[in-house]
Amino acid sequence: MVRIDLRHKNIFLDTAPLIYFIEGNSLYQDKLNQVFSSNDKGDFVFITSSITLLEVLVKPLKEGQTKLVEKYINILTNARGIEIFDITKALAIKAAELRAKYNLRTPDSKQLATAIEYHADYFLTNDIRLKSVVEINSIVLSEL
């Protein structure tokens, strides 16, 4: 049972939850099935950045998993309940500010900057370190 009410919210989808959902992660699979089912029904919108697309494709490309590559591209570019945003100059500046303030890795700072800029209500991740960023409410999968 999802403990945080995501209905009518904009939820930033970080890379790890998407990988766990698509490729299977027994620890979180039931929770993720509920979250993605709720998104499919239109209860809320996922937003994400082109960084997510980049990150989810690396391993399948290395391993020659063309069907998985196609699945990720299809989901992130065609799914009705997912909006994907490119990194702009303004986002790069915001990401640099976040990286400087919180000592984040560059991809994390870009993800967070996108979430903040596009007014995500929550940042869905599995990286507990990102909860230190006060500009947005982060949810780790164990909180679902």
Side-chain angles (χ1 to χ4, degrees):
M1 172 70 98
V2 175
R3 291 182 268 168
I4 298 171
D5 188 3
L6 304 178
R7 289 175 297 170
H8 312 294
K9 305 289 186 192
N10 287 326
I11 311 302
F12 187 92
L13 178 61
D14 198 16
T15 305
L18 180 60
I19 291 172
Y20 293 169
F21 175 68
I22 298 300
E23 298 184 29
N25 178 302
S26 60
L27 183 59
Y28 302 113
Q29 202 63 46
D30 289 342
K31 291 177 182 183
L32 288 168
N33 287 342
Q34 290 176 31
V35 168
F36 278 84
S37 174
S38 184
N39 173 258
D40 283 343
K41 288 188 272 184
D43 291 345
F44 64 87
V45 174
F46 276 132
I47 61 174
T48 196
S49 81
S50 54
I51 297 294
T52 302
L53 181 59
L54 180 158
E55 290 183 327
V56 298
L57 295 179
V58 173
K59 185 178 177 202
L61 284 168
K62 273 186 183 177
E63 296 176 352
Q65 297 179 359
T66 14
K67 293 226 184 285
L68 187 54
V69 168
E70 291 169 7
K71 187 174 187 175
Y72 277 125
I73 291 171
N74 184 49
I75 288 168
L76 286 172
T77 60
N78 297 319
R80 183 173 43 93
I82 300 177
E83 295 182 50
I84 188 168
F85 296 99
D86 289 325
I87 302 301
T88 62
K89 287 184 278 186
L91 284 174
I93 293 166
K94 179 67 176 172
E97 292 168 356
L98 291 168
R99 186 164 190 240
K101 182 176 180 180
Y102 294 103
N103 197 31
L104 299 168
R105 295 178 306 147
T106 297
D108 291 334
S109 65
K110 287 180 177 179
Q111 296 284 65
L112 287 158
T114 304
I116 293 163
E117 179 68 23
Y118 290 100
H119 308 289
D121 297 291
Y122 295 107
F123 186 88
L124 181 60
T125 187
N126 205 35
D127 188 341
I128 192 80
R129 296 171 299 152
L130 302 183
K131 289 185 76 66
S132 67
V133 177
V134 299
E135 288 84 352
I136 191 159
N137 293 316
S138 291
I139 304 171
V140 293
L141 297 177
S142 62
E143 294 175 318
L144 291 177

